[in-house]
Amino acid sequence: MSNPVDAKAPGGDAAEVEKAPAHTHVDNSADLDEKAKLAEYKAGAIEAENAELNMGVLEAVRLYPMASFWAFVMSTTIIMESYCVFLMGAFVAMDQFKKEYGVDDKYGERQIESSWQSALQASGPLGAIIGVCLAGPITSRIGYRWATILGLMLLNAFIFVFYFANSLPIMFLSQILEGIPWGIFIANAPAYCSEIVPIKLRAPATQMLQMFWAIGAIIVGGVCYVYEGKLESSAYRIPIALQWMFPTPLAILLFIAPESPWWLVRKGRLEEAAVSVRRLGRASVLTNPEESVAMMRRTIELEKTEKEPSILELFRGTDLYRTLIVCGVYAAQNLTGNLIANQAVYFFRQAGMDSNTAFALGLITSALQTVFVMLSWILTTYLGRRTIYVWGSLINVCFLVALGIAGSVGKSNAASLAQASLGLIVSVGFTLGPAPASWVIIGETSAIRLRPLTTGIGRGAYYVVNIPCIFLATYMLNPTGVDLGGKCGYVWGATGFVCFLAAWIWLPEMKGRSYREIDILFKRRVPARKWKETVVDINDDE
């Protein structure tokens, strides 16, 4: 995207920008000519990139309101995975669900066996591994919109299996099936959001994914808080049925949404890409979408090859480094406190809270997460991705160790309250630092032509780590396991510290960088901690 007029410094008055005189005349005749050489459309590409680099955040929102809206729409697909992940976490803490499907523990209370509890929570990620493996090739062929619409229609069908399930094995199967479209959503959403907005909006656009993850948890918390007291199967069947609220309306919206112009340029459909850019911006001021297309062509030209994108390319040369960053950031979400957030209600129950209090605390946690994600938009936009991710991870490690200490002092009312409070802080703190920053990093790191494949493989790495961590987390918390309670903070604190060290050494700062600059810095093999001070000339193509 580009500003069609002379760009002012960030924070300038948007109204004045719109009235500013047009930028220096550039011949755009070659911008949409498929046979044109780089030198013929380079001037337009430089104009577009300079405009984006100098554009302020508010200017970007004002000039590209529809880009922000469509990023918002695509981000809402994450609600469905979040809803079901938190729903399974709530079910294992729900009295009626435990009564129908549980066994008596050593204290004479009904519990879902730790093996089944882990299996139910791991089944969705198992299906999602299939989904993310399918998402890359499907999206590369038919585009982000149609791939996501396909996933939404599949989800509509698979919800029937879950709703009519009357045993834990059938629920396990239904979650595997539902996980397949989740994988498509989670692979496509960060890539699409990062591609349709200007540079200055990439952080808030991709961080909306974490906000909608929290919103999914809020909906589950509210629904389960209302229905958990019912003494019949509707206590859990109604929350399952409410999943049908989302897919069809979202499919209709995505049907009329513009395709990513970057995807269209990769396919050589330059005229359609220009139309897409025009739809994403404000028509009254967006006079030269061709220049934005030229900027995209210039960046894609740096990665040009005659071959179709393949998974093997992700593990060659500098693309291997980029793939490892995406996989590492995704996988680390499981190792820095996220599983405590995903099992918040169950954690509060095991910390000694009664059922109503645990569900209320879970709802409060989700509401605070939403607020803190919004705060992270400001921090990540102005302080940078690396800063927020690295030091946010370290702060979370400190709270996890404190949680372990609180769980080691013996059983008492004060200890239970301390564990519940620290569990809440860890869950909320995760959404201020590492979690939202990770979505920005994931959306920016991969090469443009390999992006659908990279985000798919990265999310696959998340699930590969997530599944054993679910079994470990359940085994640590469940009374039929080792019943560690708050002492699990020591385990997650140790894994979180390893993630902090890895990020400090290898994670570069991509704040304010165009995709062309990011490509060049990776190809030049600039050390991660020197990215911030490295200057890339606007005329450089390698």
Side-chain angles (χ1 to χ4, degrees):
M1 296 346 116
S2 69
N3 188 340
V5 296
D6 281 343
K8 295 181 65 175
D13 183 69
E16 290 180 20
V17 173
E18 289 185 25
K19 295 176 183 176
H23 57 250
T24 304
H25 176 72
V26 173
D27 182 7
N28 300 122
S29 59
D31 291 350
L32 301 183
D33 182 357
E34 292 184 32
K35 297 180 181 178
K37 303 296 184 183
L38 174 59
E40 298 177 67
Y41 58 81
K42 186 172 180 177
I46 290 174
E47 283 287 331
E49 187 173 334
N50 272 330
E52 282 204 26
L53 291 170
N54 294 320
M55 192 184 297
V57 175
L58 295 180
E59 293 170 21
V61 173
R62 191 169 179 83
L63 291 169
Y64 290 93
M66 293 310 295
S68 303
F69 172 75
W70 292 119
F72 181 91
V73 171
M74 179 61 88
S75 296
T76 57
T77 60
I78 304 304
I79 287 179
M80 284 164 289
E81 179 178 1
S82 170
Y83 184 96
C84 215
V85 166
F86 284 98
L87 192 64
M88 293 312 303
F91 280 175
V92 298
M94 185 178 284
D95 290 336
Q96 184 61 28
F97 192 84
K98 290 190 290 185
K99 179 182 176 181
E100 293 188 26
Y101 300 106
V103 297
D104 291 334
D105 65 14
K106 59 187 177 184
Y107 304 112
E109 296 182 6
R110 299 291 284 181
Q111 297 282 354
I112 303 299
E113 288 182 277
S114 61
S115 57
W116 268 115
Q117 183 177 333
S118 300
L120 289 172
Q121 293 185 300
S123 53
L126 280 171
I129 290 175
I130 301 170
V132 295
C133 291
L134 295 173
I138 291 173
T139 302
S140 293
R141 183 170 293 274
I142 67 175
Y144 293 105
R145 290 169 54 251
W146 285 111
T148 305
I149 290 169
L150 172 64
L152 290 166
M153 294 300 97
L154 287 174
L155 184 61
N156 259 338
F158 295 152
I159 292 170
F160 278 99
V161 182
F162 192 17
Y163 182 78
F164 289 106
N166 56 7
S167 67
L168 294 181
I170 299 300
M171 289 186 183
F172 176 80
L173 173 63
S174 72
Q175 288 301 282
I176 291 178
L177 293 174
E178 285 195 30
I180 295 172
W182 297 354
I184 297 173
F185 306 149
I186 204 72
N188 283 352
Y192 179 84
C193 292
S194 70
E195 289 186 7
I196 66 171
V197 297
I199 292 170
K200 292 295 171 61
L201 295 182
R202 286 203 308 243
T206 48
Q207 285 175 316
M208 277 196 288
L209 296 163
Q210 187 65 41
M211 183 184 76
F212 281 111
W213 185 271
I215 288 173
I218 290 174
I219 296 170
V220 168
V223 170
C224 290
Y225 185 74
V226 170
Y227 287 99
E228 71 94 21
K230 288 187 173 291
L231 302 178
E232 55 188 14
S233 62
S234 63
Y236 57 88
R237 297 231 181 258
I238 291 176
I240 293 172
L242 289 175
Q243 289 180 94
W244 277 307
M245 291 189 299
F246 307 112
T248 302
L250 282 174
I252 293 169
L253 284 171
L254 288 172
F255 178 75
I256 62 176
E259 184 54 84
S260 162
W262 288 90
W263 183 86
L264 292 167
V265 171
R266 288 198 294 271
K267 292 295 182 181
R269 293 154 61 175
L270 305 183
E271 294 285 353
E272 292 177 59
V275 172
S276 182
V277 171
R278 196 174 287 113
R279 287 188 63 193
L280 293 168
R282 179 174 289 184
S284 60
V285 293
L286 192 65
T287 56
N288 289 312
E290 296 83 4
E291 290 183 356
S292 292
V293 174
M295 177 185 70
M296 297 172 195
R297 291 182 70 186
R298 183 190 182 195
T299 301
I300 291 168
E301 191 74 24
L302 298 177
E303 309 169 359
K304 193 169 184 180
T305 176
E306 296 300 319
K307 299 177 182 178
E308 281 291 309
S310 72
I311 290 177
L312 289 178
E313 284 186 75
L314 302 180
F315 304 99
R316 295 174 183 158
T318 54
D319 285 317
L320 173 60
Y321 181 25
R322 300 170 85 157
T323 302
L324 289 174
I325 289 173
V326 173
C327 289
V329 168
Y330 256 134
Q333 290 184 354
N334 297 294
L335 304 171
T336 51
N338 188 36
L339 285 174
I340 291 178
N342 288 356
Q343 294 181 313
V345 174
Y346 187 71
F347 176 83
F348 293 138
R349 287 299 301 268
Q350 301 314 114
M353 303 291 107
D354 62 52
S355 181
N356 279 340
T357 304
F359 276 97
L361 282 174
L363 190 56
I364 291 168
T365 300
S366 301
L368 288 173
Q369 286 175 334
T370 305
V371 173
F372 274 62
V373 170
M374 293 178 186
L375 290 175
S376 76
W377 295 350
I378 301 169
L379 295 177
T380 310
T381 299
Y382 292 102
L383 296 181
R385 293 79 162 119
R386 173 185 165 87
T387 302
I388 298 302
Y389 186 88
V390 170
W391 301 114
S393 296
L394 182 60
I395 292 169
N396 233 37
V397 166
C398 295
F399 281 117
L400 285 165
V401 173
L403 174 62
I405 294 170
S408 304
V409 297
K411 292 191 175 182
S412 67
N413 188 51
S416 295
L417 289 174
Q419 289 178 63
S421 299
L422 286 164
L424 189 151
I425 291 170
V426 167
S427 299
V428 172
F430 182 73
T431 57
L432 179 64
S438 67
W439 294 109
V440 190
I441 295 163
I442 289 159
E444 293 178 333
T445 301
S446 59
I448 292 292
R449 65 183 296 275
L450 298 175
R451 182 156 293 155
L453 294 171
T454 308
T455 53
I457 290 296
R459 191 63 179 183
Y462 168 91
Y463 292 121
V464 167
V465 176
N466 178 248
I467 291 168
C469 282
I470 286 173
F471 280 89
L472 175 62
T474 303
Y475 184 67
M476 288 192 294
L477 285 178
N478 199 298
T480 65
V482 293
D483 198 15
L484 286 182
K487 291 194 283 289
C488 68
Y490 291 132
V491 177
W492 300 129
T495 56
F497 187 73
V498 173
C499 295
F500 155 74
L501 284 179
W504 185 74
I505 295 169
W506 288 299
L507 182 64
E509 178 57 80
M510 288 172 273
K511 171 181 173 285
R513 297 285 188 182
S514 67
Y515 288 130
R516 177 190 65 88
E517 291 176 305
I518 291 171
D519 274 351
I520 289 171
L521 287 167
F522 274 115
K523 287 183 178 180
R524 291 178 182 175
R525 301 180 186 274
V526 176
R529 281 167 284 164
K530 293 188 177 180
W531 273 50
K532 195 171 184 178
E533 61 200 51
T534 303
V535 176
V536 179
D537 190 271
I538 192 67
N539 293 296
D540 288 351
D541 289 315
E542 59 182 7

